[in-house]
Amino acid sequence: MDEKDRILLQLLEENCRTPLSELAVLAEMSEEDARDRIGRLEAAGAIRRYGAVVDWERAGDGNVAAVIELKVSPERDFGYDRIAERIARFPQVRSLRLMTGAYDLQLLVAGPSMHEIARFVAEQIAPMDRIRETATHIIMKTYKENGTVFAEREEVERLPYSF
């Protein structure tokens, strides 16, 4: 991967719906070169999929999101991989990461209510072999997601001041 590939990846990550002609201009290459590079990046797995950043609160989804942190006992010869593969299969799990720090795994989960998230953790995650401890943090408001700012300041109309 060279610098032009990195530029294309950054542009696609910013907005995957940018027309190929515009990507080519921004990356200073021909459309054919851009198309070939993107195809190669897709085939290599550098581009996993294309998607939208959705503000679910504005969309009226009503789901609750939470960050779940897990302390895990790694498995001999497999480390954290097998437990992570099991956890990743749950549809409630939107992302899963191995982390440094006090906890080993971090999950982003979504559910229809705090009660359902608590139930998911208590009934599905906490009882799993190798899970030593969990910490659940409810997401109250999202300000920025995947590089997209959600919180927009409302313009306050100031009234004229006079004596």
Side-chain angles (χ1 to χ4, degrees):
M1 181 168 31
D2 63 13
E3 187 60 28
K4 295 224 182 230
D5 287 343
R6 281 184 188 78
I7 291 169
L8 280 173
L9 289 172
Q10 288 170 343
L11 292 168
L12 288 169
E13 187 176 47
E14 188 177 308
N15 182 0
C16 66
R17 295 187 67 186
T18 304
L20 184 63
S21 58
E22 191 175 328
L23 290 171
V25 169
L26 292 169
E28 299 178 349
M29 64 180 71
S30 69
E31 282 188 46
E32 184 178 334
D33 189 22
R35 185 181 304 106
D36 291 345
R37 286 172 178 269
I38 290 169
R40 217 172 38 253
L41 291 164
E42 289 170 344
I47 297 174
R48 301 295 240 176
R49 72 182 194 125
Y50 297 91
V53 177
V54 178
D55 184 339
W56 289 107
E57 188 174 325
R58 280 198 182 172
D61 176 55
N63 268 354
V64 174
V67 173
I68 315 291
E69 296 174 312
L70 306 176
K71 285 187 180 178
V72 179
S73 298
E75 192 174 346
R76 183 182 196 105
D77 297 327
F78 296 101
Y80 299 99
D81 294 346
R82 290 215 312 207
I83 189 78
E85 288 170 7
R86 287 179 56 205
I87 293 169
R89 290 186 195 127
F90 290 105
Q92 297 92 327
V93 177
R94 294 172 60 187
S95 66
L96 171 59
R97 296 177 175 91
L98 179 62
M99 306 292 290
T100 62
Y103 290 88
D104 304 305
L105 296 176
Q106 181 192 64
L107 292 67
L108 176 63
V109 300
S113 67
M114 285 191 290
H115 175 75
E116 286 301 314
I117 288 175
R119 201 164 110 189
F120 170 68
V121 173
E123 294 177 5
Q124 302 295 322
I125 300 297
M128 292 176 99
D129 289 340
R130 308 211 170 271
I131 302 293
R132 295 188 339 250
E133 185 179 325
T134 69
T136 302
H137 311 277
I138 300 298
I139 296 173
M140 295 171 46
K141 183 175 183 173
T142 299
Y143 293 97
K144 187 174 184 178
E145 182 79 30
N146 292 336
T148 301
V149 175
F150 282 17
E152 298 169 4
R153 295 193 96 200
E154 293 181 21
E155 290 295 320
V156 178
E157 185 179 337
R158 299 190 82 184
L159 299 174
Y161 179 77
S162 64
F163 286 97

